[in-house]
Amino acid sequence: MQERGQRRYQVRFGWGAAGAARIAADAHLLVWVDVLPTPAAAAAPGPDGHRAPLTQLPVGPEVVLGHLGNVTAVAERVLRLQADRGDRCVVAVVAAGHLDEPVGGGAADDAGEFPDVPAVPEFAVEDLLAAGAVVDALVTTGIDHTSPEAAAACAAWTGLRRAARHLVTASESADVLGVERVHAALAVGPELVTLRPSTERA
């Protein structure tokens, strides 16, 4: 019996750090998709109030932040990596999802630390749509060897893109975060933010 992990596919999709551990161990780029920061993260200093559990993510792939505003930059980064490698670039698109409680307790969360055991996030419509938008941007550039999971996320985006802003602003996460912070998160520019460079050996 084969292990899970979508290993036969170039573009993969999963949820949270646990999903990343499953699908990104041999990836070249991990796109951590986080559209709306948690209230605690939004109030803390940091790039647009977003944080990724970098200590829980697989060692090796470059980690970039993905959201609804920078999918073109993500796709361009993948094309550059392929050109540099002279070979295909395996991409793990990981939706952050929503965690009700700070993992590991308040003190660890305040310090930006995460425990060794990743929690499983709840579904977050904004992260699903943005992950699908990333996959769609890759498919548009010709990188279309997608797993069924990635294809389903892409279909959610292509089917709902016209309603995406409404769906995000009406979501559970938006209700908790507040209107001003939601609009600020949706206004983040198209720049690519690298959360961690590749740790692969040359």
Side-chain angles (χ1 to χ4, degrees):
M1 194 165 83
Q2 285 189 327
E3 293 183 7
R4 294 173 65 195
Q6 305 170 39
R7 287 182 179 265
R8 73 182 76 173
Y9 300 104
Q10 182 179 5
V11 181
R12 308 163 183 175
F13 172 70
W15 284 93
R22 193 176 68 254
I23 68 168
D26 63 339
H28 304 104
L29 185 71
L30 191 162
V31 185
W32 181 259
V33 181
D34 191 12
V35 176
L36 301 178
T38 63
D48 307 314
H50 294 86
R51 291 184 292 172
L54 295 176
T55 58
Q56 291 180 10
L57 300 181
V59 174
E62 177 181 331
V63 180
V64 299
L65 178 65
H67 52 78
L68 287 168
N70 74 346
V71 297
T72 299
V74 171
E76 289 172 350
R77 179 61 184 142
V78 175
L79 290 175
R80 287 196 304 273
L81 283 172
Q82 288 199 153
D84 291 345
R85 286 174 45 76
D87 196 1
R88 73 177 195 162
C89 174
V90 175
V91 185
V93 181
V94 181
H98 176 71
L99 292 172
D100 276 330
E101 295 294 331
V103 184
D109 187 64
D110 291 343
E113 298 173 356
F114 296 84
D116 293 333
V117 181
V120 178
E122 292 183 10
F123 176 87
V125 67
E126 64 276 9
D127 294 341
L128 174 66
L129 291 173
V134 169
V135 176
D136 185 51
L138 293 172
V139 169
T140 299
T141 66
I143 302 170
D144 57 2
H145 189 221
T146 60
S147 69
E149 292 79 4
C154 183
W157 164 251
T158 57
L160 296 169
R161 74 172 78 199
R162 292 187 179 183
R165 183 168 285 271
H166 166 71
L167 292 171
V168 172
T169 57
S171 68
E172 288 182 349
S173 301
D175 284 344
V176 172
L177 194 59
V179 175
E180 288 186 7
R181 286 176 173 168
V182 170
H183 286 299
L186 291 176
V188 174
E191 297 79 15
L192 188 67
V193 175
T194 301
L195 300 173
R196 186 188 71 194
S198 172
T199 55
E200 287 184 335
R201 293 182 179 176

